[in-house]
Amino acid sequence: MSRDLTPEERQNFIGLYGIGEACEKCGNKDVLVKIWEKHGSNAYEVGGDLGASGIVGAIVACESCGHAQTLPRSRILEVAA
């Protein structure tokens, strides 16, 4: 399953992965961060684990131009190391 992060969670996500503050194409700060949780984790809950033990992937999508940037599992694992 997937879910959109709250504004507070988005700040935590930005701190972990360095993406999600603004669209990488147009710079718009009105972006959506959608995560896919790891089976058995609590990432489906607001305030859940956004680290490697909680999510398997994510996208950052611009609400203005529609550009989307993926956060693949390999990058999530790099941050966890």
Side-chain angles (χ1 to χ4, degrees):
M1 303 233 5
S2 65
R3 73 173 182 91
D4 302 344
L5 296 183
T6 66
E8 296 80 23
E9 290 176 307
R10 194 173 82 163
Q11 291 305 311
N12 187 19
F13 183 88
I14 292 167
L16 285 170
Y17 302 108
I19 66 169
E21 186 170 9
C23 174
E24 71 176 354
K25 184 176 180 184
C26 74
N28 181 35
K29 292 191 179 275
D30 188 17
V31 296
L32 168 85
V33 177
K34 182 176 284 290
I35 62 162
W36 279 262
E37 74 267 6
K38 188 174 181 180
H39 180 72
S41 79
N42 70 348
Y44 67 90
E45 300 173 350
V46 172
D49 182 11
L50 299 178
S53 60
I55 66 173
V56 295
I59 61 164
V60 176
C62 181
E63 298 283 357
S64 177
C65 74
H67 176 77
Q69 175 183 3
T70 62
L71 176 68
R73 182 77 177 147
S74 59
R75 174 72 177 123
I76 295 167
L77 292 173
E78 283 177 14
V79 170

